[in-house]
Amino acid sequence: MDQAALTIALVSIAISIVGLLWQLTLYRLSGARIRIGFTPVVMTHRGTIVKGSRGQWPKQLPGIAELQESDLWVELAQIDIANVGRTAIWASGIGLDFGPESLLRRRQRLTLSLRPFGVGGGLIDNSPTRLDPGQAVVMYVTLRESITWAGGHHRHERIAVRGTATLAGRRAKRSPWRRALRVNEGHSKRFPHGETTLPVLIFQELVNHWPTSDIGHLYETWLAVWGALDDPSEGETIENALKPHFKSMMARISLAHRLRAVFASSTSLV
């Protein structure tokens, strides 16, 4: 009898523990939960998005994703935010995470929130976004320019780039560490499947300083800028080419100076 009573008691305790764990699991699943993803992508002047995988670029792109010889392209980061809980949530602070600023203070992280590009159905601003249960959104932001910025503020030679977002009232959540884009101080692991020609460099410089999320007039602006750089005898200036979309005169002058510097440094190597 004592043995039977002990067995029944142990079984009862086990059932109680399992029941408690199940209730805790249900409570967690019924609450607010968010999942973050990060993918390196390339955007062409035609608005085509070519994606990497798991934070890396494959050794060879599928034929349908290969760039054409005349394509202009720029590297972007795709940040995915999904509501995997059962209640509506607000996600804010969507951007890029470059790891802790110090090994001793790991909670102090180097992050960057950027104005996104409205391409591929992505968000057009970085304001707080409401997500219903099961809903997911995507954001596209500059990648290489962001890495350059982080390199000037980071204390480590190797940077792990991840997506990040904050669930209202909680700590920031990041995309999985194992799928981060790992970049050395020399900015290795650039997009390996596109030739960085002079027209591409001018296009990338223009994208990195584009003043709005709307890139509908990006290519025609590049055409005007390239014409002013390639054949200044036509009388068009870079400042005039930028004027319709860059309202600030100082912004136009600064960007025009950068574009001329890129053009001059590249043509001098030819």
Side-chain angles (χ1 to χ4, degrees):
M1 291 293 294
D2 293 340
Q3 185 66 30
L6 179 60
T7 301
I8 293 174
L10 291 175
V11 170
S12 299
I13 293 174
I15 293 175
S16 298
I17 293 175
V18 170
L20 178 61
L21 293 176
W22 178 248
Q23 291 297 322
L24 291 174
T25 301
L26 288 177
Y27 175 77
R28 181 175 180 273
L29 291 176
S30 64
R33 294 190 300 142
I34 191 172
R35 183 174 61 206
I36 312 296
F38 167 86
T39 308
V41 304
V42 157
M43 179 188 73
T44 71
H45 70 285
R46 294 178 284 111
T48 303
I49 297 293
V50 179
K51 298 183 180 181
S53 176
R54 299 176 180 269
Q56 306 294 331
W57 286 107
K59 293 182 179 180
Q60 185 174 358
L61 290 177
I64 193 174
E66 290 182 354
L67 300 187
Q68 300 178 15
E69 186 176 353
S70 60
D71 277 343
L72 307 172
W73 55 271
V74 63
E75 291 176 88
L76 301 179
Q78 175 182 301
I79 306 169
D80 299 280
I81 308 98
N83 180 359
V84 294
R86 298 184 180 180
T87 60
I89 61 172
W90 284 89
S92 61
I94 304 171
L96 297 175
D97 178 281
F98 301 97
E101 297 182 12
S102 170
L103 294 177
L104 299 178
R105 299 178 179 179
R106 302 194 64 84
R107 290 188 178 180
Q108 296 183 4
R109 307 185 67 86
L110 187 63
T111 60
L112 186 61
S113 183
L114 300 157
R115 179 177 56 246
F117 295 110
V119 64
L123 297 173
I124 61 173
D125 61 55
N126 55 10
S127 60
T129 301
R130 187 181 189 275
L131 295 173
D132 292 322
Q135 185 181 0
V137 293
V138 63
M139 177 182 284
Y140 295 97
V141 297
T142 56
L143 177 59
R144 195 56 50 181
E145 187 81 357
S146 302
I147 292 174
T148 300
W149 173 86
H153 294 78
H154 215 286
R155 299 180 181 179
H156 310 295
E157 294 183 358
R158 189 172 174 83
I159 300 174
V161 188
R162 302 159 67 183
T164 182
T166 301
L167 189 62
R170 301 189 181 185
R171 290 182 185 175
K173 186 175 178 60
R174 295 173 290 276
S175 59
W177 180 84
R178 66 183 181 278
R179 298 186 180 182
L181 176 67
R182 292 171 176 80
V183 184
N184 294 327
E185 188 176 8
H187 294 179
S188 62
K189 294 190 177 181
R190 292 175 178 265
F191 178 62
H193 305 295
E195 186 178 358
T196 310
T197 62
L198 180 53
V200 168
L201 288 173
I202 297 299
F203 180 74
Q204 293 175 350
E205 193 72 27
L206 191 59
V207 171
N208 289 334
H209 296 86
W210 194 249
T212 68
S213 298
D214 183 3
I215 58 172
H217 298 283
L218 176 61
Y219 180 57
E220 65 182 51
T221 303
W222 175 87
L223 286 173
V225 167
W226 180 254
L229 286 167
D230 191 46
D231 191 1
S233 63
E234 291 294 327
E236 175 74 342
T237 66
I238 303 176
E239 288 81 1
N240 285 338
L242 298 174
K243 190 173 182 179
H245 306 291
F246 291 79
K247 304 306 179 184
S248 168
M249 181 178 67
M250 292 305 299
R252 295 197 299 271
I253 294 174
S254 176
L255 180 54
H257 175 74
R258 295 176 67 96
L259 291 168
R260 290 191 181 97
V262 171
F263 188 84
S265 62
S266 298
T267 52
S268 65
L269 299 177
V270 178

